[in-house]
Amino acid sequence: AKDQEYMSDGIAEELLNLLAQVPNLKVIASTSSFAFKGQNIEIAEIAKKLNVAHVLEGSVRKSSDKLRITAQLVRAADSTQLWSQNYDRSMEDVFAVQDEIANAIVQALQIKLAGGTLNRREGGTQNLEAYQLYLRAVTANYLNTKASLDAAVNYAEQAIKIDPNYGRAWSALAWIIAGQTDDGFLPAKEGYERARQMTLHALQLSAGLAEAHALLSYIYQPLDWNWAGAEAELQLALAIDPTDPLVLQSAGILSMAFGHWDEAERQLRAALVRDPLNPWTRINLGNAYYLAGRFTEAEETYRELLERQPDFSDRKSTRLN
């Protein structure tokens, strides 16, 4: 059902985050992998567009307090189903089910974990209602309209009210408000300052949130031109998770600010490996080429974005998402 879509989106998002912890496993970020949701596209075509060898697909059905999750792992080269499983659980078991599926997929791919079993990321919650509201906030933020961003703020604020120690909810709220500011829906100084205060609070609760350090690096630049602080926060983010596409995109934007065009290209291309359909990363790459005077490559990058997403419009092209 449409009103339950946030649940499947959220579970998929959490699975991606868990699997991204596996050494030497390239996991495509949700911005790109969610682009095919609801479309009747062959697995082989999806794999080609994302440049991956395997595709995980599934569904989530919710009835009252019951949850059924189906998942299957398909090898793109020959459409072989490597693994499939159904999970019938109560809603209270949703966190355990996510971990169980992620570990099963790892086994199906025959990947040996150097650090033991996958662990839930820092800054989470054990309150199911807060978690569901967080998922709604994340899903609404992806739509990037004024109405959806307002709704996302509301969901994130409700999650925080239920669990004030939910670090990821504070970080998500900061990202959403920064996005509203980027899009011109909030005054620049007011919006960025609010986002900074929330990001600092998220880091007080959970110092190891890579995306919060990346956002703080981003906010330092337009808010008060704190370049040393921006670089320091970015280094912290990279130390926590050097493969996170959001962190890499933030690194690319900072490199552009310093005029390090080759470094910006490398970082943004690395972000696209993990998140190849992210429009903000691609437009930032085009901007890096343009500012470096590489106009042919800039035009090719912009045209590729328009071909992929002809309705894409972003009033502040350095926006992170």
Side-chain angles (χ1 to χ4, degrees), residues 43-212:
I43 292 292
E45 180 65 18
I46 294 174
K48 180 180 178 181
K49 288 181 179 294
L50 296 178
N51 192 28
V52 295
H54 302 87
V55 173
L56 175 67
E57 63 175 352
S59 63
V60 177
R61 294 183 181 180
K62 179 176 173 288
S63 177
S64 186
D65 63 343
K66 301 298 182 183
L67 193 69
R68 162 162 282 198
I69 300 174
T70 65
Q72 64 173 342
L73 186 69
V74 179
R75 186 166 59 206
D78 54 9
S79 298
T80 298
Q81 186 183 82
L82 299 179
W83 167 87
S84 66
Q85 187 67 48
N86 293 332
Y87 298 84
D88 292 298
R89 298 288 191 276
S90 67
M91 282 293 295
E92 286 73 17
D93 293 335
V94 64
F95 300 119
V97 173
Q98 289 172 179
D99 292 344
E100 186 178 350
I101 295 172
N103 281 289
I105 296 167
V106 169
Q107 292 174 11
L109 286 170
Q110 298 180 331
I111 294 172
K112 185 176 181 180
L113 293 178
T117 58
L118 295 170
N119 296 311
R120 183 158 304 285
R121 299 178 304 158
E122 182 176 349
T125 183
Q126 292 302 311
N127 185 292
L128 186 59
E129 186 178 359
Y131 176 65
Q132 290 177 306
L133 287 163
Y134 168 80
L135 298 183
R136 288 183 181 270
V138 170
T139 301
N141 186 44
Y142 287 148
L143 299 177
N144 194 35
T145 67
K146 187 179 187 306
S148 70
L149 291 172
D150 288 343
V153 167
N154 183 49
Y155 291 136
E157 287 178 341
Q158 289 183 61
I160 289 167
K161 185 175 181 180
I162 293 170
D163 184 355
N165 296 318
Y166 193 174
R168 290 197 176 276
W170 280 99
S171 181
L173 180 57
W175 276 109
I176 297 161
I177 289 174
Q180 289 179 313
T181 309
D182 282 345
D183 287 344
F185 299 134
L186 292 174
K189 186 174 182 179
E190 173 192 333
Y192 289 131
E193 183 57 43
R194 285 178 60 195
R196 174 164 64 176
Q197 293 305 318
M198 291 174 184
T199 306
L200 290 171
H201 188 69
L203 289 170
Q204 284 182 339
L205 295 170
S206 305
L209 292 178
E211 77 259 27

Side-chain angles (χ1 to χ4, degrees), residues 4-14 34 37 135 139:
Q4 296 174 12
E5 185 176 358
Y6 76 93
M7 178 60 71
S8 60
D9 286 353
I11 289 176
E13 175 83 16
E14 287 295 305
F34 282 21
K37 185 179 61 175
L135 298 183
T139 301

